[in-house]
Amino acid sequence: MTNRIENTVKLPVDIVLAPEWWYYNEKITFDEDFFYHPLRRVEVEQQMEKALYERWGKYGLGEHRNEQRPEIGAVHLAAGFLLSEMLGCQVNYTEAHPPQVVAANCADLSIDGQKIFSSPAFKKMLKLWEGLKSKHGYLSGDINWGGILNLAMDLRGDSIFTDMMLEPEKVKDYFTQIAAVISKFTALMEEETKTTSISVNRLLRQFQKPVFLHSECSHTMISADDYEYFLLPFDIAWSKQHRPFGIHYCGPDPHRMAGQFAKIPQLDFLDVGWGGDVAVLRKYLPNTFLNIRLSPVDMITQNNEEIKRSIVERVKQSNSKTLTGVCCINIDEKITDEKITTLFETVEELRKETAL
C-alpha cells in the first residue's frame, strides 16, 4: 500500500479545545446562532483563530487570524450533530457545551432518503451556505458528519445492537442507507470547499491533500468480528473512492481492530485513541499514518514531565516521523496553558532527534 498522506512537517501536532474551554476563556457561547448565523459564524471563527495565535502562535496555530473565512461548520470544535438532526433526531443547544443529540429511538430500520435532504435542518444549513457565499464569494471548512454506527445509534439507540444480533441482514441494509446519506452529504461539502473532515480532526488541515475521515467512536462497543461483518465493507469501499482515506477511532482499544484494519487496502490515516497500543497497530499497519491522541482527562492531572514522557513513549512506538502525528482533542477549561505548551514543545524536540 502506498500512503497518500503528504504532511507539510514531520510529526504534525494539533489540539481541539472543548466548548467549555472557549466559554470559560473567551466567553464564546454555543447556542444555535453560533452554528447557523452567517455573520456570527465568521466573527467567532476569527476570534478563535486570534485566541489560539495569542497563546500558541509560535507552533503554527491561528494562521488565519487576520482573515474572515466563511467556515460552513465549527472547524475548531469536535461536534458531530447535523446529520443526526437531518435524520430526525432532536438536538439541544446550550451556552457552554457542544450540541447534544437526543436518540430518536426509531421504531424500525428504515430511512427516507428524500425526506432527509428536504428536512428543516438541511434547509437551515443551505441558508447558511447561501448567506456566506453571497457575501464572501466562496465557502471554506466542513461539517462533522460522524459515522455509520454513530448515526445508527442516534437513530435506534441501544436497540441497534439487538438488531445486529436478531436481524443482521436488515441491519446491513440499514447501514447501506446511512452510508448513502453520508456519501451524498460529504459530496455536497467537497464540491463547495474541497474538504470533508477538518471538523473531525484539525490535524488534517496540515496535509496537502484532504483526508476523508470516517468516525468510528462507537466501535469500541462492538466486537472485531461484528466490525468485519457489518462495517468493514464500507471502509474498504470508501478507501477505494476517497484517497487519502482514514478512520477516526477515539476509543481506548483501536488495537482490537488491527487485524481488520489491515484488510483495508488503502488505510492512509488512523486516529489512535488514547490507550490504543501503538506498537501493535504499527505492526499491522506499517504504511498507515498513525495519529496518536492524548487523553485530555489525563493531561489535567499529569505534570509536565509525565505529559512529555507519554508523548515520547508513544511516538517512538509508532517508529516513523513521517507516518506519525500527535493531537489532543476536547481539552476543557481545567487544563493550563502551560501543559498544552508542553505538548507542543515535546513534539518540537522529537522532530529534532536524528532517530526515534
mmCIF file of all heavy atoms in Angstrom, residues 253-278:
data_model
loop_
_atom_site.group_PDB
_atom_site.id
_atom_site.type_symbol
_atom_site.label_atom_id
_atom_site.label_comp_id
_atom_site.label_asym_id
_atom_site.label_seq_id
_atom_site.Cartn_x
_atom_site.Cartn_y
_atom_site.Cartn_z
ATOM 1 N N ASP A 253 -9.320 1.353 22.519
ATOM 2 C CA ASP A 253 -8.920 -0.003 22.102
ATOM 3 C C ASP A 253 -8.861 -0.206 20.587
ATOM 4 O O ASP A 253 -9.297 -1.241 20.080
ATOM 5 C CB ASP A 253 -9.880 -1.024 22.703
ATOM 6 C CG ASP A 253 -11.346 -0.736 22.355
ATOM 7 O OD1 ASP A 253 -11.625 0.325 21.756
ATOM 8 O OD2 ASP A 253 -12.211 -1.571 22.684
ATOM 9 N N PRO A 254 -8.300 0.727 19.819
ATOM 10 C CA PRO A 254 -8.250 0.517 18.369
ATOM 11 C C PRO A 254 -7.423 -0.704 17.976
ATOM 12 O O PRO A 254 -7.653 -1.295 16.913
ATOM 13 C CB PRO A 254 -7.617 1.808 17.849
ATOM 14 C CG PRO A 254 -6.850 2.345 19.002
ATOM 15 C CD PRO A 254 -7.654 1.987 20.207
ATOM 16 N N HIS A 255 -6.465 -1.103 18.833
ATOM 17 C CA HIS A 255 -5.628 -2.275 18.526
ATOM 18 C C HIS A 255 -6.452 -3.549 18.432
ATOM 19 O O HIS A 255 -6.031 -4.508 17.796
ATOM 20 C CB HIS A 255 -4.536 -2.434 19.587
ATOM 21 C CG HIS A 255 -5.049 -2.362 20.992
ATOM 22 N ND1 HIS A 255 -5.215 -1.166 21.656
ATOM 23 C CD2 HIS A 255 -5.443 -3.336 21.852
ATOM 24 C CE1 HIS A 255 -5.693 -1.405 22.872
ATOM 25 N NE2 HIS A 255 -5.847 -2.704 23.018
ATOM 26 N N ARG A 256 -7.641 -3.555 19.046
ATOM 27 C CA ARG A 256 -8.533 -4.722 18.929
ATOM 28 C C ARG A 256 -8.921 -4.982 17.476
ATOM 29 O O ARG A 256 -9.192 -6.113 17.087
ATOM 30 C CB ARG A 256 -9.813 -4.474 19.729
ATOM 31 C CG ARG A 256 -9.900 -5.185 21.029
ATOM 32 C CD ARG A 256 -11.302 -5.201 21.606
ATOM 33 N NE ARG A 256 -12.113 -4.053 21.301
ATOM 34 C CZ ARG A 256 -13.284 -4.118 20.657
ATOM 35 N NH1 ARG A 256 -13.755 -5.274 20.215
ATOM 36 N NH2 ARG A 256 -13.986 -3.022 20.444
ATOM 37 N N MET A 257 -8.981 -3.909 16.707
ATOM 38 C CA MET A 257 -9.422 -3.994 15.315
ATOM 39 C C MET A 257 -8.242 -4.041 14.346
ATOM 40 O O MET A 257 -8.439 -3.967 13.134
ATOM 41 C CB MET A 257 -10.299 -2.781 14.980
ATOM 42 C CG MET A 257 -11.447 -2.520 15.926
ATOM 43 S SD MET A 257 -12.753 -3.765 15.778
ATOM 44 C CE MET A 257 -14.008 -3.073 16.847
ATOM 45 N N ALA A 258 -7.023 -4.157 14.850
ATOM 46 C CA ALA A 258 -5.842 -4.046 13.990
ATOM 47 C C ALA A 258 -5.870 -5.022 12.826
ATOM 48 O O ALA A 258 -5.558 -4.661 11.682
ATOM 49 C CB ALA A 258 -4.569 -4.239 14.818
ATOM 50 N N GLY A 259 -6.226 -6.270 13.096
ATOM 51 C CA GLY A 259 -6.270 -7.275 12.029
ATOM 52 C C GLY A 259 -7.285 -6.937 10.965
ATOM 53 O O GLY A 259 -7.053 -7.164 9.762
ATOM 54 N N GLN A 260 -8.419 -6.378 11.385
ATOM 55 C CA GLN A 260 -9.461 -5.982 10.424
ATOM 56 C C GLN A 260 -9.039 -4.735 9.652
ATOM 57 O O GLN A 260 -9.233 -4.650 8.433
ATOM 58 C CB GLN A 260 -10.786 -5.731 11.167
ATOM 59 C CG GLN A 260 -11.525 -7.001 11.581
ATOM 60 C CD GLN A 260 -10.819 -7.749 12.705
ATOM 61 O OE1 GLN A 260 -10.143 -7.138 13.539
ATOM 62 N NE2 GLN A 260 -10.964 -9.063 12.721
ATOM 63 N N PHE A 261 -8.445 -3.760 10.356
ATOM 64 C CA PHE A 261 -7.980 -2.556 9.663
ATOM 65 C C PHE A 261 -6.953 -2.912 8.583
ATOM 66 O O PHE A 261 -6.885 -2.270 7.528
ATOM 67 C CB PHE A 261 -7.347 -1.566 10.645
ATOM 68 C CG PHE A 261 -8.327 -0.905 11.585
ATOM 69 C CD1 PHE A 261 -7.915 -0.443 12.826
ATOM 70 C CD2 PHE A 261 -9.650 -0.720 11.225
ATOM 71 C CE1 PHE A 261 -8.792 0.184 13.690
ATOM 72 C CE2 PHE A 261 -10.556 -0.103 12.086
ATOM 73 C CZ PHE A 261 -10.123 0.361 13.320
ATOM 74 N N ALA A 262 -6.161 -3.941 8.848
ATOM 75 C CA ALA A 262 -5.132 -4.347 7.885
ATOM 76 C C ALA A 262 -5.738 -4.884 6.596
ATOM 77 O O ALA A 262 -5.038 -5.000 5.580
ATOM 78 C CB ALA A 262 -4.216 -5.393 8.517
ATOM 79 N N LYS A 263 -7.028 -5.220 6.614
ATOM 80 C CA LYS A 263 -7.700 -5.728 5.419
ATOM 81 C C LYS A 263 -8.198 -4.605 4.507
ATOM 82 O O LYS A 263 -8.694 -4.872 3.413
ATOM 83 C CB LYS A 263 -8.863 -6.632 5.827
ATOM 84 C CG LYS A 263 -8.414 -7.884 6.569
ATOM 85 C CD LYS A 263 -9.589 -8.760 6.975
ATOM 86 C CE LYS A 263 -9.089 -9.996 7.732
ATOM 87 N NZ LYS A 263 -10.202 -10.905 8.147
ATOM 88 N N ILE A 264 -8.077 -3.361 4.990
ATOM 89 C CA ILE A 264 -8.441 -2.214 4.144
ATOM 90 C C ILE A 264 -7.258 -1.929 3.221
ATOM 91 O O ILE A 264 -6.169 -1.604 3.696
ATOM 92 C CB ILE A 264 -8.769 -0.978 5.006
ATOM 93 C CG1 ILE A 264 -9.917 -1.291 5.965
ATOM 94 C CG2 ILE A 264 -9.110 0.218 4.114
ATOM 95 C CD1 ILE A 264 -10.184 -0.204 6.983
ATOM 96 N N PRO A 265 -7.421 -2.073 1.927
ATOM 97 C CA PRO A 265 -6.273 -1.937 1.016
ATOM 98 C C PRO A 265 -5.576 -0.579 1.096
ATOM 99 O O PRO A 265 -4.363 -0.492 0.931
ATOM 100 C CB PRO A 265 -6.904 -2.147 -0.368
ATOM 101 C CG PRO A 265 -8.170 -2.896 -0.113
ATOM 102 C CD PRO A 265 -8.665 -2.408 1.214
ATOM 103 N N GLN A 266 -6.354 0.486 1.339
ATOM 104 C CA GLN A 266 -5.765 1.826 1.375
ATOM 105 C C GLN A 266 -6.224 2.570 2.636
ATOM 106 O O GLN A 266 -7.067 3.460 2.569
ATOM 107 C CB GLN A 266 -6.163 2.636 0.133
ATOM 108 C CG GLN A 266 -5.659 2.066 -1.170
ATOM 109 C CD GLN A 266 -6.648 1.116 -1.829
ATOM 110 O OE1 GLN A 266 -7.832 1.123 -1.518
ATOM 111 N NE2 GLN A 266 -6.169 0.283 -2.721
ATOM 112 N N LEU A 267 -5.681 2.199 3.780
ATOM 113 C CA LEU A 267 -5.953 2.941 5.016
ATOM 114 C C LEU A 267 -4.788 3.904 5.231
ATOM 115 O O LEU A 267 -3.742 3.548 5.753
ATOM 116 C CB LEU A 267 -6.113 1.995 6.208
ATOM 117 C CG LEU A 267 -6.437 2.679 7.551
ATOM 118 C CD1 LEU A 267 -7.718 3.506 7.446
ATOM 119 C CD2 LEU A 267 -6.557 1.649 8.672
ATOM 120 N N ASP A 268 -4.992 5.140 4.805
ATOM 121 C CA ASP A 268 -3.907 6.118 4.833
ATOM 122 C C ASP A 268 -3.697 6.717 6.215
ATOM 123 O O ASP A 268 -2.579 7.116 6.560
ATOM 124 C CB ASP A 268 -4.202 7.251 3.837
ATOM 125 C CG ASP A 268 -4.271 6.735 2.402
ATOM 126 O OD1 ASP A 268 -3.245 6.237 1.914
ATOM 127 O OD2 ASP A 268 -5.348 6.822 1.793
ATOM 128 N N PHE A 269 -4.768 6.812 7.012
ATOM 129 C CA PHE A 269 -4.721 7.556 8.276
ATOM 130 C C PHE A 269 -5.560 6.825 9.313
ATOM 131 O O PHE A 269 -6.654 6.339 9.016
ATOM 132 C CB PHE A 269 -5.287 8.957 8.028
ATOM 133 C CG PHE A 269 -5.318 9.879 9.223
ATOM 134 C CD1 PHE A 269 -4.351 10.851 9.394
ATOM 135 C CD2 PHE A 269 -6.343 9.794 10.161
ATOM 136 C CE1 PHE A 269 -4.393 11.728 10.477
ATOM 137 C CE2 PHE A 269 -6.390 10.661 11.246
ATOM 138 C CZ PHE A 269 -5.409 11.633 11.405
ATOM 139 N N LEU A 270 -5.045 6.744 10.544
ATOM 140 C CA LEU A 270 -5.822 6.171 11.650
ATOM 141 C C LEU A 270 -5.640 7.033 12.889
ATOM 142 O O LEU A 270 -4.525 7.253 13.347
ATOM 143 C CB LEU A 270 -5.374 4.738 11.955
ATOM 144 C CG LEU A 270 -6.069 4.069 13.155
ATOM 145 C CD1 LEU A 270 -7.565 3.874 12.884
ATOM 146 C CD2 LEU A 270 -5.405 2.738 13.504
ATOM 147 N N ASP A 271 -6.754 7.536 13.414
ATOM 148 C CA ASP A 271 -6.749 8.198 14.713
ATOM 149 C C ASP A 271 -6.644 7.122 15.786
ATOM 150 O O ASP A 271 -7.530 6.262 15.892
ATOM 151 C CB ASP A 271 -8.057 8.970 14.900
ATOM 152 C CG ASP A 271 -7.878 10.466 14.840
ATOM 153 O OD1 ASP A 271 -6.747 10.936 15.046
ATOM 154 O OD2 ASP A 271 -8.874 11.176 14.606
ATOM 155 N N VAL A 272 -5.596 7.166 16.581
ATOM 156 C CA VAL A 272 -5.360 6.152 17.602
ATOM 157 C C VAL A 272 -5.805 6.708 18.950
ATOM 158 O O VAL A 272 -5.115 7.531 19.555
ATOM 159 C CB VAL A 272 -3.872 5.751 17.664
ATOM 160 C CG1 VAL A 272 -3.647 4.689 18.735
ATOM 161 C CG2 VAL A 272 -3.409 5.242 16.298
ATOM 162 N N GLY A 273 -6.972 6.277 19.415
ATOM 163 C CA GLY A 273 -7.495 6.753 20.689
ATOM 164 C C GLY A 273 -6.547 6.487 21.837
ATOM 165 O O GLY A 273 -5.770 5.523 21.811
ATOM 166 N N TRP A 274 -6.603 7.361 22.859
ATOM 167 C CA TRP A 274 -5.707 7.179 23.996
ATOM 168 C C TRP A 274 -5.967 5.805 24.618
ATOM 169 O O TRP A 274 -7.100 5.346 24.726
ATOM 170 C CB TRP A 274 -5.859 8.296 25.012
ATOM 171 C CG TRP A 274 -7.222 8.455 25.618
ATOM 172 C CD1 TRP A 274 -7.746 7.779 26.677
ATOM 173 C CD2 TRP A 274 -8.241 9.377 25.199
ATOM 174 N NE1 TRP A 274 -9.014 8.204 26.959
ATOM 175 C CE2 TRP A 274 -9.360 9.189 26.063
ATOM 176 C CE3 TRP A 274 -8.327 10.339 24.192
ATOM 177 C CZ2 TRP A 274 -10.535 9.932 25.949
ATOM 178 C CZ3 TRP A 274 -9.509 11.060 24.078
ATOM 179 C CH2 TRP A 274 -10.586 10.859 24.941
ATOM 180 N N GLY A 275 -4.883 5.125 24.994
ATOM 181 C CA GLY A 275 -4.992 3.748 25.461
ATOM 182 C C GLY A 275 -4.733 2.750 24.358
ATOM 183 O O GLY A 275 -4.489 1.576 24.614
ATOM 184 N N GLY A 276 -4.783 3.209 23.113
ATOM 185 C CA GLY A 276 -4.512 2.324 21.987
ATOM 186 C C GLY A 276 -3.063 1.877 21.969
ATOM 187 O O GLY A 276 -2.158 2.671 22.247
ATOM 188 N N ASP A 277 -2.842 0.619 21.656
ATOM 189 C CA ASP A 277 -1.489 0.061 21.605
ATOM 190 C C ASP A 277 -0.850 0.432 20.263
ATOM 191 O O ASP A 277 -1.116 -0.198 19.235
ATOM 192 C CB ASP A 277 -1.539 -1.453 21.786
ATOM 193 C CG ASP A 277 -0.172 -2.068 22.030
ATOM 194 O OD1 ASP A 277 0.795 -1.635 21.374
ATOM 195 O OD2 ASP A 277 -0.071 -2.990 22.862
ATOM 196 N N VAL A 278 -0.015 1.441 20.285
ATOM 197 C CA VAL A 278 0.584 1.967 19.059
ATOM 198 C C VAL A 278 1.495 0.934 18.406
ATOM 199 O O VAL A 278 1.507 0.791 17.174
ATOM 200 C CB VAL A 278 1.368 3.264 19.349
ATOM 201 C CG1 VAL A 278 2.022 3.797 18.077
ATOM 202 C CG2 VAL A 278 0.443 4.322 19.947
#
